[in-house]
PDB file of all heavy atoms in Angstrom:
ATOM      1  N   ALA B1339       1.736  -6.497  -1.690  1.00  0.00           N
ATOM      2  CA  ALA B1339       1.873  -5.370  -0.767  1.00  0.00           C
ATOM      3  C   ALA B1339       2.421  -5.800   0.591  1.00  0.00           C
ATOM      4  O   ALA B1339       3.217  -5.086   1.193  1.00  0.00           O
ATOM      5  CB  ALA B1339       0.529  -4.663  -0.592  1.00  0.00           C
ATOM      6  N   ASP B1340       2.019  -6.978   1.051  1.00  0.00           N
ATOM      7  CA  ASP B1340       2.514  -7.460   2.348  1.00  0.00           C
ATOM      8  C   ASP B1340       4.032  -7.604   2.322  1.00  0.00           C
ATOM      9  O   ASP B1340       4.725  -7.200   3.253  1.00  0.00           O
ATOM     10  CB  ASP B1340       1.880  -8.810   2.701  1.00  0.00           C
ATOM     11  CG  ASP B1340       0.364  -8.736   2.801  1.00  0.00           C
ATOM     12  OD1 ASP B1340      -0.157  -7.636   3.069  1.00  0.00           O
ATOM     13  OD2 ASP B1340      -0.282  -9.777   2.605  1.00  0.00           O
ATOM     14  N   ARG B1341       4.533  -8.179   1.245  1.00  0.00           N
ATOM     15  CA  ARG B1341       5.975  -8.399   1.098  1.00  0.00           C
ATOM     16  C   ARG B1341       6.711  -7.059   0.953  1.00  0.00           C
ATOM     17  O   ARG B1341       7.764  -6.851   1.570  1.00  0.00           O
ATOM     18  CB  ARG B1341       6.236  -9.268  -0.133  1.00  0.00           C
ATOM     19  CG  ARG B1341       7.680  -9.669  -0.279  1.00  0.00           C
ATOM     20  CD  ARG B1341       7.958 -10.441  -1.540  1.00  0.00           C
ATOM     21  NE  ARG B1341       7.038 -11.556  -1.746  1.00  0.00           N
ATOM     22  CZ  ARG B1341       6.879 -12.178  -2.896  1.00  0.00           C
ATOM     23  NH1 ARG B1341       7.586 -11.804  -3.958  1.00  0.00           N
ATOM     24  NH2 ARG B1341       6.043 -13.171  -3.020  1.00  0.00           N
ATOM     25  N   ILE B1342       6.159  -6.154   0.147  1.00  0.00           N
ATOM     26  CA  ILE B1342       6.772  -4.833  -0.058  1.00  0.00           C
ATOM     27  C   ILE B1342       6.862  -4.092   1.269  1.00  0.00           C
ATOM     28  O   ILE B1342       7.900  -3.537   1.628  1.00  0.00           O
ATOM     29  CB  ILE B1342       5.966  -4.013  -1.091  1.00  0.00           C
ATOM     30  CG1 ILE B1342       6.073  -4.654  -2.474  1.00  0.00           C
ATOM     31  CG2 ILE B1342       6.408  -2.561  -1.112  1.00  0.00           C
ATOM     32  CD1 ILE B1342       5.105  -4.091  -3.494  1.00  0.00           C
ATOM     33  N   GLU B1343       5.752  -4.097   2.019  1.00  0.00           N
ATOM     34  CA  GLU B1343       5.710  -3.401   3.299  1.00  0.00           C
ATOM     35  C   GLU B1343       6.702  -4.006   4.296  1.00  0.00           C
ATOM     36  O   GLU B1343       7.434  -3.282   4.968  1.00  0.00           O
ATOM     37  CB  GLU B1343       4.290  -3.465   3.857  1.00  0.00           C
ATOM     38  CG  GLU B1343       4.057  -2.563   5.032  1.00  0.00           C
ATOM     39  CD  GLU B1343       2.593  -2.503   5.440  1.00  0.00           C
ATOM     40  OE1 GLU B1343       1.711  -2.865   4.639  1.00  0.00           O
ATOM     41  OE2 GLU B1343       2.352  -2.089   6.587  1.00  0.00           O
ATOM     42  N   ALA B1344       6.766  -5.323   4.377  1.00  0.00           N
ATOM     43  CA  ALA B1344       7.689  -5.980   5.310  1.00  0.00           C
ATOM     44  C   ALA B1344       9.142  -5.669   4.966  1.00  0.00           C
ATOM     45  O   ALA B1344       9.962  -5.407   5.863  1.00  0.00           O
ATOM     46  CB  ALA B1344       7.452  -7.491   5.298  1.00  0.00           C
ATOM     47  N   ASP B1345       9.470  -5.680   3.667  1.00  0.00           N
ATOM     48  CA  ASP B1345      10.844  -5.375   3.245  1.00  0.00           C
ATOM     49  C   ASP B1345      11.236  -3.946   3.618  1.00  0.00           C
ATOM     50  O   ASP B1345      12.347  -3.703   4.097  1.00  0.00           O
ATOM     51  CB  ASP B1345      11.010  -5.579   1.732  1.00  0.00           C
ATOM     52  CG  ASP B1345      10.973  -7.043   1.325  1.00  0.00           C
ATOM     53  OD1 ASP B1345      11.081  -7.917   2.213  1.00  0.00           O
ATOM     54  OD2 ASP B1345      10.820  -7.300   0.110  1.00  0.00           O
ATOM     55  N   LEU B1346      10.324  -3.006   3.393  1.00  0.00           N
ATOM     56  CA  LEU B1346      10.626  -1.610   3.713  1.00  0.00           C
ATOM     57  C   LEU B1346      10.726  -1.380   5.212  1.00  0.00           C
ATOM     58  O   LEU B1346      11.580  -0.613   5.671  1.00  0.00           O
ATOM     59  CB  LEU B1346       9.576  -0.689   3.089  1.00  0.00           C
ATOM     60  CG  LEU B1346       9.623  -0.588   1.562  1.00  0.00           C
ATOM     61  CD1 LEU B1346       8.460   0.232   1.027  1.00  0.00           C
ATOM     62  CD2 LEU B1346      10.945   0.015   1.104  1.00  0.00           C
ATOM     63  N   LEU B1347       9.866  -2.027   5.977  1.00  0.00           N
ATOM     64  CA  LEU B1347       9.951  -1.899   7.436  1.00  0.00           C
ATOM     65  C   LEU B1347      11.276  -2.460   7.951  1.00  0.00           C
ATOM     66  O   LEU B1347      11.876  -1.904   8.872  1.00  0.00           O
ATOM     67  CB  LEU B1347       8.775  -2.604   8.109  1.00  0.00           C
ATOM     68  CG  LEU B1347       7.417  -1.921   7.956  1.00  0.00           C
ATOM     69  CD1 LEU B1347       6.304  -2.815   8.475  1.00  0.00           C
ATOM     70  CD2 LEU B1347       7.405  -0.571   8.658  1.00  0.00           C
ATOM     71  N   ALA B1348      11.748  -3.551   7.353  1.00  0.00           N
ATOM     72  CA  ALA B1348      13.035  -4.142   7.735  1.00  0.00           C
ATOM     73  C   ALA B1348      14.197  -3.204   7.422  1.00  0.00           C
ATOM     74  O   ALA B1348      15.232  -3.250   8.094  1.00  0.00           O
ATOM     75  CB  ALA B1348      13.228  -5.478   7.025  1.00  0.00           C
ATOM     76  N   GLN B1349      14.019  -2.354   6.410  1.00  0.00           N
ATOM     77  CA  GLN B1349      15.049  -1.385   6.039  1.00  0.00           C
ATOM     78  C   GLN B1349      14.980  -0.120   6.881  1.00  0.00           C
ATOM     79  O   GLN B1349      15.768   0.798   6.702  1.00  0.00           O
ATOM     80  CB  GLN B1349      14.909  -1.000   4.558  1.00  0.00           C
ATOM     81  CG  GLN B1349      15.171  -2.137   3.603  1.00  0.00           C
ATOM     82  CD  GLN B1349      14.837  -1.757   2.169  1.00  0.00           C
ATOM     83  OE1 GLN B1349      14.681  -0.580   1.840  1.00  0.00           O
ATOM     84  NE2 GLN B1349      14.728  -2.762   1.305  1.00  0.00           N
ATOM     85  N   GLY B1350      13.982  -0.023   7.780  1.00  0.00           N
ATOM     86  CA  GLY B1350      13.874   1.135   8.665  1.00  0.00           C
ATOM     87  C   GLY B1350      12.970   2.241   8.154  1.00  0.00           C
ATOM     88  O   GLY B1350      12.951   3.330   8.736  1.00  0.00           O
ATOM     89  N   VAL B1351      12.227   1.993   7.094  1.00  0.00           N
ATOM     90  CA  VAL B1351      11.290   2.996   6.575  1.00  0.00           C
ATOM     91  C   VAL B1351      10.109   3.096   7.538  1.00  0.00           C
ATOM     92  O   VAL B1351       9.728   2.107   8.166  1.00  0.00           O
ATOM     93  CB  VAL B1351      10.816   2.594   5.148  1.00  0.00           C
ATOM     94  CG1 VAL B1351       9.758   3.519   4.627  1.00  0.00           C
ATOM     95  CG2 VAL B1351      12.002   2.552   4.206  1.00  0.00           C
ATOM     96  N   SER B1352       9.533   4.289   7.653  1.00  0.00           N
ATOM     97  CA  SER B1352       8.407   4.473   8.570  1.00  0.00           C
ATOM     98  C   SER B1352       7.211   3.626   8.132  1.00  0.00           C
ATOM     99  O   SER B1352       7.028   3.366   6.933  1.00  0.00           O
ATOM    100  CB  SER B1352       7.998   5.948   8.617  1.00  0.00           C
ATOM    101  OG  SER B1352       7.320   6.312   7.433  1.00  0.00           O
ATOM    102  N   PRO B1353       6.378   3.181   9.094  1.00  0.00           N
ATOM    103  CA  PRO B1353       5.211   2.363   8.753  1.00  0.00           C
ATOM    104  C   PRO B1353       4.266   3.045   7.759  1.00  0.00           C
ATOM    105  O   PRO B1353       3.711   2.392   6.875  1.00  0.00           O
ATOM    106  CB  PRO B1353       4.511   2.145  10.095  1.00  0.00           C
ATOM    107  CG  PRO B1353       5.605   2.265  11.104  1.00  0.00           C
ATOM    108  CD  PRO B1353       6.542   3.294  10.540  1.00  0.00           C
ATOM    109  N   LYS B1354       4.110   4.346   7.869  1.00  0.00           N
ATOM    110  CA  LYS B1354       3.219   5.082   6.966  1.00  0.00           C
ATOM    111  C   LYS B1354       3.749   5.037   5.526  1.00  0.00           C
ATOM    112  O   LYS B1354       3.001   4.776   4.588  1.00  0.00           O
ATOM    113  CB  LYS B1354       3.070   6.526   7.435  1.00  0.00           C
ATOM    114  CG  LYS B1354       2.047   7.318   6.668  1.00  0.00           C
ATOM    115  CD  LYS B1354       1.860   8.699   7.269  1.00  0.00           C
ATOM    116  CE  LYS B1354       0.814   9.468   6.509  1.00  0.00           C
ATOM    117  NZ  LYS B1354       0.574  10.800   7.099  1.00  0.00           N
ATOM    118  N   LYS B1355       5.056   5.268   5.353  1.00  0.00           N
ATOM    119  CA  LYS B1355       5.655   5.229   4.018  1.00  0.00           C
ATOM    120  C   LYS B1355       5.652   3.809   3.457  1.00  0.00           C
ATOM    121  O   LYS B1355       5.447   3.606   2.267  1.00  0.00           O
ATOM    122  CB  LYS B1355       7.078   5.797   4.040  1.00  0.00           C
ATOM    123  CG  LYS B1355       7.125   7.294   4.158  1.00  0.00           C
ATOM    124  CD  LYS B1355       8.543   7.807   4.060  1.00  0.00           C
ATOM    125  CE  LYS B1355       8.563   9.322   4.170  1.00  0.00           C
ATOM    126  NZ  LYS B1355       9.915   9.866   4.054  1.00  0.00           N
ATOM    127  N   ALA B1356       5.892   2.831   4.319  1.00  0.00           N
ATOM    128  CA  ALA B1356       5.888   1.432   3.876  1.00  0.00           C
ATOM    129  C   ALA B1356       4.491   1.040   3.394  1.00  0.00           C
ATOM    130  O   ALA B1356       4.343   0.361   2.382  1.00  0.00           O
ATOM    131  CB  ALA B1356       6.342   0.515   5.006  1.00  0.00           C
ATOM    132  N   PHE B1357       3.467   1.478   4.116  1.00  0.00           N
ATOM    133  CA  PHE B1357       2.089   1.177   3.718  1.00  0.00           C
ATOM    134  C   PHE B1357       1.760   1.835   2.379  1.00  0.00           C
ATOM    135  O   PHE B1357       1.170   1.211   1.497  1.00  0.00           O
ATOM    136  CB  PHE B1357       1.108   1.638   4.797  1.00  0.00           C
ATOM    137  CG  PHE B1357      -0.317   1.311   4.477  1.00  0.00           C
ATOM    138  CD1 PHE B1357      -0.817   0.036   4.721  1.00  0.00           C
ATOM    139  CD2 PHE B1357      -1.166   2.259   3.930  1.00  0.00           C
ATOM    140  CE1 PHE B1357      -2.139  -0.281   4.432  1.00  0.00           C
ATOM    141  CE2 PHE B1357      -2.481   1.950   3.630  1.00  0.00           C
ATOM    142  CZ  PHE B1357      -2.968   0.677   3.876  1.00  0.00           C
ATOM    143  N   LYS B1358       2.165   3.093   2.214  1.00  0.00           N
ATOM    144  CA  LYS B1358       1.888   3.817   0.963  1.00  0.00           C
ATOM    145  C   LYS B1358       2.608   3.199  -0.231  1.00  0.00           C
ATOM    146  O   LYS B1358       2.141   3.278  -1.357  1.00  0.00           O
ATOM    147  CB  LYS B1358       2.282   5.289   1.093  1.00  0.00           C
ATOM    148  CG  LYS B1358       1.303   6.096   1.886  1.00  0.00           C
ATOM    149  CD  LYS B1358       1.691   7.568   1.876  1.00  0.00           C
ATOM    150  CE  LYS B1358       0.670   8.403   2.582  1.00  0.00           C
ATOM    151  NZ  LYS B1358       0.988   9.836   2.510  1.00  0.00           N
ATOM    152  N   ALA B1359       3.748   2.561   0.002  1.00  0.00           N
ATOM    153  CA  ALA B1359       4.513   1.953  -1.093  1.00  0.00           C
ATOM    154  C   ALA B1359       3.751   0.809  -1.747  1.00  0.00           C
ATOM    155  O   ALA B1359       3.973   0.497  -2.914  1.00  0.00           O
ATOM    156  CB  ALA B1359       5.865   1.467  -0.587  1.00  0.00           C
ATOM    157  N   GLY B1360       2.851   0.187  -1.010  1.00  0.00           N
ATOM    158  CA  GLY B1360       2.075  -0.918  -1.567  1.00  0.00           C
ATOM    159  C   GLY B1360       0.803  -0.493  -2.256  1.00  0.00           C
ATOM    160  O   GLY B1360       0.064  -1.339  -2.777  1.00  0.00           O
ATOM    161  N   ALA B1361       0.527   0.798  -2.293  1.00  0.00           N
ATOM    162  CA  ALA B1361      -0.710   1.297  -2.913  1.00  0.00           C
ATOM    163  C   ALA B1361      -0.580   1.376  -4.431  1.00  0.00           C
ATOM    164  O   ALA B1361       0.492   1.657  -4.954  1.00  0.00           O
ATOM    165  CB  ALA B1361      -1.052   2.671  -2.352  1.00  0.00           C
ATOM    166  N   LEU B1362      -1.671   1.116  -5.111  1.00  0.00           N
ATOM    167  CA  LEU B1362      -1.734   1.256  -6.568  1.00  0.00           C
ATOM    168  C   LEU B1362      -2.757   2.334  -6.912  1.00  0.00           C
ATOM    169  O   LEU B1362      -3.917   2.214  -6.535  1.00  0.00           O
ATOM    170  CB  LEU B1362      -2.170  -0.058  -7.228  1.00  0.00           C
ATOM    171  CG  LEU B1362      -1.256  -1.256  -7.071  1.00  0.00           C
ATOM    172  CD1 LEU B1362      -1.913  -2.489  -7.663  1.00  0.00           C
ATOM    173  CD2 LEU B1362       0.071  -0.995  -7.761  1.00  0.00           C
ATOM    174  N   GLY B1363      -2.340   3.340  -7.612  1.00  0.00           N
ATOM    175  CA  GLY B1363      -3.286   4.353  -8.092  1.00  0.00           C
ATOM    176  C   GLY B1363      -4.017   5.079  -6.981  1.00  0.00           C
ATOM    177  O   GLY B1363      -3.520   5.247  -5.891  1.00  0.00           O
ATOM    178  N   ARG B1364      -5.258   5.471  -7.274  1.00  0.00           N
ATOM    179  CA  ARG B1364      -6.045   6.211  -6.300  1.00  0.00           C
ATOM    180  C   ARG B1364      -7.240   5.373  -5.861  1.00  0.00           C
ATOM    181  O   ARG B1364      -7.642   4.449  -6.546  1.00  0.00           O
ATOM    182  CB  ARG B1364      -6.531   7.533  -6.898  1.00  0.00           C
ATOM    183  CG  ARG B1364      -7.412   7.331  -8.100  1.00  0.00           C
ATOM    184  CD  ARG B1364      -7.721   8.650  -8.772  1.00  0.00           C
ATOM    185  NE  ARG B1364      -8.432   8.337  -9.992  1.00  0.00           N
ATOM    186  CZ  ARG B1364      -9.620   8.783 -10.293  1.00  0.00           C
ATOM    187  NH1 ARG B1364     -10.213   9.612  -9.491  1.00  0.00           N
ATOM    188  NH2 ARG B1364     -10.217   8.434 -11.395  1.00  0.00           N
ATOM    189  N   ARG B1365      -7.797   5.757  -4.743  1.00  0.00           N
ATOM    190  CA  ARG B1365      -8.934   5.017  -4.212  1.00  0.00           C
ATOM    191  C   ARG B1365     -10.227   5.449  -4.888  1.00  0.00           C
ATOM    192  O   ARG B1365     -10.435   6.618  -5.171  1.00  0.00           O
ATOM    193  CB  ARG B1365      -9.052   5.237  -2.709  1.00  0.00           C
ATOM    194  CG  ARG B1365      -7.912   4.618  -1.968  1.00  0.00           C
ATOM    195  CD  ARG B1365      -8.116   4.749  -0.509  1.00  0.00           C
ATOM    196  NE  ARG B1365      -7.061   4.014   0.177  1.00  0.00           N
ATOM    197  CZ  ARG B1365      -7.105   3.690   1.427  1.00  0.00           C
ATOM    198  NH1 ARG B1365      -8.132   4.014   2.150  1.00  0.00           N
ATOM    199  NH2 ARG B1365      -6.117   3.017   1.972  1.00  0.00           N
ATOM    200  N   VAL B1366     -11.082   4.472  -5.118  1.00  0.00           N
ATOM    201  CA  VAL B1366     -12.396   4.733  -5.698  1.00  0.00           C
ATOM    202  C   VAL B1366     -13.445   4.094  -4.790  1.00  0.00           C
ATOM    203  O   VAL B1366     -13.166   3.173  -4.040  1.00  0.00           O
ATOM    204  CB  VAL B1366     -12.512   4.163  -7.130  1.00  0.00           C
ATOM    205  CG1 VAL B1366     -11.581   4.878  -8.076  1.00  0.00           C
ATOM    206  CG2 VAL B1366     -12.247   2.684  -7.146  1.00  0.00           C
ATOM    207  N   THR B1367     -14.694   4.595  -4.883  1.00  0.00           N
ATOM    208  CA  THR B1367     -15.737   4.052  -4.020  1.00  0.00           C
ATOM    209  C   THR B1367     -16.516   2.929  -4.686  1.00  0.00           C
ATOM    210  O   THR B1367     -16.920   1.993  -4.031  1.00  0.00           O
ATOM    211  CB  THR B1367     -16.711   5.154  -3.587  1.00  0.00           C
ATOM    212  OG1 THR B1367     -17.248   5.781  -4.743  1.00  0.00           O
ATOM    213  CG2 THR B1367     -16.012   6.179  -2.722  1.00  0.00           C
ATOM    214  N   VAL B1368     -16.755   3.014  -5.988  1.00  0.00           N
ATOM    215  CA  VAL B1368     -17.460   1.944  -6.692  1.00  0.00           C
ATOM    216  C   VAL B1368     -16.468   1.270  -7.626  1.00  0.00           C
ATOM    217  O   VAL B1368     -15.870   1.900  -8.475  1.00  0.00           O
ATOM    218  CB  VAL B1368     -18.657   2.476  -7.512  1.00  0.00           C
ATOM    219  CG1 VAL B1368     -19.280   1.363  -8.327  1.00  0.00           C
ATOM    220  CG2 VAL B1368     -19.680   3.096  -6.588  1.00  0.00           C
ATOM    221  N   THR B1369     -16.286  -0.026  -7.434  1.00  0.00           N
ATOM    222  CA  THR B1369     -15.319  -0.762  -8.216  1.00  0.00           C
ATOM    223  C   THR B1369     -15.952  -1.420  -9.424  1.00  0.00           C
ATOM    224  O   THR B1369     -15.334  -1.555 -10.461  1.00  0.00           O
ATOM    225  CB  THR B1369     -14.634  -1.831  -7.340  1.00  0.00           C
ATOM    226  OG1 THR B1369     -14.154  -1.201  -6.175  1.00  0.00           O
ATOM    227  CG2 THR B1369     -13.488  -2.472  -8.052  1.00  0.00           C
ATOM    228  N   GLY B1370     -17.202  -1.855  -9.297  1.00  0.00           N
ATOM    229  CA  GLY B1370     -17.835  -2.542 -10.413  1.00  0.00           C
ATOM    230  C   GLY B1370     -19.316  -2.742 -10.197  1.00  0.00           C
ATOM    231  O   GLY B1370     -19.862  -2.472  -9.135  1.00  0.00           O
ATOM    232  N   VAL B1371     -19.965  -3.206 -11.243  1.00  0.00           N
ATOM    233  CA  VAL B1371     -21.381  -3.532 -11.197  1.00  0.00           C
ATOM    234  C   VAL B1371     -21.522  -4.951 -11.745  1.00  0.00           C
ATOM    235  O   VAL B1371     -20.957  -5.283 -12.778  1.00  0.00           O
ATOM    236  CB  VAL B1371     -22.220  -2.544 -12.040  1.00  0.00           C
ATOM    237  CG1 VAL B1371     -23.691  -2.906 -11.994  1.00  0.00           C
ATOM    238  CG2 VAL B1371     -22.001  -1.122 -11.561  1.00  0.00           C
ATOM    239  N   ASP B1372     -22.265  -5.788 -11.030  1.00  0.00           N
ATOM    240  CA  ASP B1372     -22.455  -7.179 -11.427  1.00  0.00           C
ATOM    241  C   ASP B1372     -23.899  -7.378 -11.867  1.00  0.00           C
ATOM    242  O   ASP B1372     -24.828  -7.003 -11.154  1.00  0.00           O
ATOM    243  CB  ASP B1372     -22.134  -8.106 -10.254  1.00  0.00           C
ATOM    244  CG  ASP B1372     -22.287  -9.574 -10.608  1.00  0.00           C
ATOM    245  OD1 ASP B1372     -21.992  -9.942 -11.760  1.00  0.00           O
ATOM    246  OD2 ASP B1372     -22.703 -10.344  -9.740  1.00  0.00           O
TER     247      ASP B1372
END
């Protein structure tokens, strides 16, 4: 995601769109149980 965001920012994409480009799927609150 860091690399994706940096590349998009270098191309002039807005910071918000660049950040969203590195997201995978949707956010969840509980990831696992150990």
Side-chain angles (χ1 to χ4, degrees):
D1340 300 335
R1341 186 184 310 164
I1342 293 169
E1343 191 172 342
D1345 289 346
L1346 290 174
L1347 288 171
Q1349 295 172 15
V1351 175
S1352 74
K1354 187 175 181 178
K1355 285 185 180 181
F1357 182 81
K1358 284 185 176 183
L1362 297 174
R1364 61 188 173 123
R1365 292 185 174 195
V1366 294
T1367 56
V1368 175
T1369 308
V1371 179
D1372 181 35

